[in-house]
Amino acid sequence: SQQGEEDPQALSIQEGENATMNCSYKTSINNLQWYRQNSGRGLVHLILIRSNEREKHSGRLRVTLDTSKKSSSLLITASRAADTASYFCATVLNNAGNMLTFGGGTRLMVKP
Amino acid sequence: GAGVSQSPRYKVAKRGQDVALRCDPISGHVSLFWYQQALGQGPEFLTYFQNEAQLDKSGLPSDRFFAERPEGSVSTLKIQRTQQEDSAVYLCASSVKDRGWTDTQYFGPGTRLTVL
């Protein structure tokens, strides 16, 4: 079973617009990570936010974490067609070893 | 440098066949993970190695699944007597440290297994 749920499951926007994806999880975490997966390819790590952090930036990416609501959001600003991919949040649970627990993903399509 | 590589990239097996999937992690990476990704779903954890030691195999779905990393580098995931429900993409990831949860996991391209 999967720990998190992404919302929305699919998102279609125009190039230049911002894209926001949300992730909810169920149990306490050590950190939360966001990954991108292009069709037919492996996962690429985007950003990691620790449980004691509230916001983090990396280029056009902005991630927030609200541990009281057990939720995170990923904002991609000024989207490009190359951002078209599936985006997954993954959590590292406390006392659950080293593995990542992934959500179901948001499929983002950016139209040129 | 080279990333994580996996072979084969695609495998078609008849139900009941045994398959072996190979993962070459990034050189020097201590931790190695296997995940299973069903179509349209997120990856699910299968097993974890720290060097040659298999420290967690709680995600392996049945005793038909077996993984090894005998010399602490290359790993093989073996599935015996494949079933249709085994059809999925099998992803391998490695990380440099022995505590993967504080460290970025680098994923390979995956092996897409189709069981007919």
Side-chain angles (χ1 to χ4, degrees):
Chain A
S1 62
Q2 299 191 305
Q3 148 85 325
E5 294 184 2
E6 272 96 334
D7 168 49
Q9 291 187 340
L11 180 61
S12 181
I13 59 175
Q14 293 294 137
E15 209 166 24
E17 293 180 340
N18 296 341
T20 300
M21 289 159 268
N22 302 296
C23 167
S24 60
Y25 56 92
K26 298 173 184 174
T27 58
S28 64
I29 62 172
N30 179 285
N31 64 69
L32 185 146
Q33 304 178 30
W34 284 90
Y35 284 80
R36 182 184 70 223
Q37 186 176 42
N38 293 89
S39 178
R41 301 181 69 176
L43 290 149
V44 175
H45 181 265
L46 296 177
I47 197 164
L48 180 153
I49 186 165
R50 302 188 190 284
S51 59
N52 61 353
E53 297 177 311
R54 292 296 167 259
E55 187 171 313
K56 208 161 184 181
H57 297 256
S58 177
R60 294 183 296 113
L61 305 180
R62 173 178 169 255
V63 169
T64 62
L65 178 64
D66 187 335
T67 54
S68 67
K69 296 181 179 179
K70 292 187 170 56
S71 67
S72 174
S73 68
L74 171 67
L75 168 67
I76 304 174
T77 60
S79 63
R80 305 166 181 168
D83 295 329
T84 295
S86 290
Y87 291 81
F88 295 91
C89 69
T91 54
V92 175
L93 307 181
N94 285 328
N95 304 317
N98 294 333
M99 74 280 202
L100 295 169
T101 304
F102 286 86
T106 292
R107 280 159 287 286
L108 173 66
M109 175 173 288
V110 181
K111 299 175 184 177
Chain B
V4 178
S5 61
Q6 293 185 246
S7 60
R9 290 292 312 278
Y10 303 91
K11 176 69 178 179
V12 178
K14 292 182 179 178
R15 190 173 57 183
Q17 276 187 325
D18 298 348
V19 298
L21 312 180
R22 178 186 169 107
C23 171
D24 284 81
I26 295 172
S27 178
H29 278 198
V30 170
S31 296
L32 186 145
F33 304 81
W34 284 98
Y35 295 85
Q36 179 191 58
Q37 185 175 24
L39 187 64
Q41 303 294 317
E44 295 202 1
F45 170 79
L46 293 177
T47 187
Y48 160 64
F49 289 87
Q50 181 178 316
N51 295 308
E52 68 278 4
Q54 188 175 21
L55 299 186
D56 188 341
K57 54 182 181 179
S58 62
L60 295 177
S62 77
D63 59 8
R64 296 185 296 103
F65 287 70
F66 172 76
E68 61 183 4
R69 192 186 186 198
E71 297 178 358
S73 55
V74 172
S75 177
T76 303
L77 177 66
K78 298 179 180 178
I79 309 173
Q80 297 178 325
R81 305 181 302 281
T82 53
Q83 305 295 315
Q84 285 188 321
E85 62 262 29
D86 300 334
S87 295
V89 175
Y90 291 85
L91 297 166
C92 176
S94 69
S95 66
V96 65
K97 296 176 183 174
D98 61 358
R99 291 197 178 276
W101 46 265
T102 64
D103 196 25
T104 299
Q105 292 186 27
Y106 295 89
F107 282 80
T111 294
R112 182 177 297 277
L113 173 65
T114 303
V115 181
L116 302 177

